[in-house]
Amino acid sequence: MSDQPLDGAVALVTGASSGIGEATARRLVRAGASVALVARRGDHLDRIAGDLTTLGGHAIAVAADLTEPGLAYQAVEDTHDRLGRLDILVNSASIMVLDTALHSTIEDWDRMISLNVSALLHITHAAVPYLIDAAATSTRRVADLVNVGSLAGRVVRPAGSVYNLTKFGLHGFSESLRQELLSEDVRVSVIAPGVVDEAVCDLAHQPRERMEALRPHDIADTVAYIVTRERRVAISEISVRAGGQTW
């Protein structure tokens, strides 16, 4: 495999202004992909795109609130218009607010559902036709859709009821989509990280466990591993735990 196995491919990464999304965008550029950085914070995206361009990569900033369906569709259209195709979608935009039902606000629950579920659905629905076309026309003869989920989509703990709801839903949605898109040569994968040291985590009253947390680049490396496999290999799910994580 060459040093740039994604040469000629185009990826769209959501949540790309920080954390796992930013690390993933940087990792895919190093693998040779052109990347559309999508998030709400346009100033952060411009800075990251500038960094990547300076390093010899190709990245564009696409500021969009994906909780709005029209803006999600426009983000995909902008990516296709400016970069010419769409081979890889990485859904990493997410927020986690942990607290008990007694102490949570309905606004926090709505925030998680809007970003973790609705935004993912909007961008995925917009991107699927382009991914199918890319699989049919690229030299790789395959396209990839990677959803960054969580071990909270497999393991339930107190104070995470609505976050669990969003991540269990993501896992179920992804598996159904995987089966639907098999015949179109679009691979659908889920990454289930454990404890990650990044900004999407708002622990409220919850104490941090004493362990060395994963870093965003650990998950980015996992994304890159998935999307650079030969087309005969489809990795449907990977769990990535911190070394000291017990659950």
Side-chain angles (χ1 to χ4, degrees), residues 90-155:
V90 181
N91 284 314
S92 66
S94 183
I95 186 170
M96 176 171 65
V97 183
L98 299 184
D99 213 339
T100 65
L102 176 63
H103 295 102
S104 296
T105 66
I106 197 67
E107 289 79 14
D108 282 340
W109 285 2
D110 284 342
R111 283 169 61 207
M112 285 189 283
I113 291 170
S114 292
L115 185 58
N116 299 3
V117 179
S118 297
L120 178 141
L121 296 181
H122 299 159
I123 197 76
T124 299
H125 194 269
V128 162
Y130 293 105
L131 295 173
I132 292 172
D133 180 69
T137 60
S138 73
T139 56
R140 298 172 66 236
R141 294 187 300 128
V142 70
D144 285 282
L145 196 167
V146 181
N147 290 328
V148 179
S150 171
L151 284 178
R154 289 287 181 256
V155 180

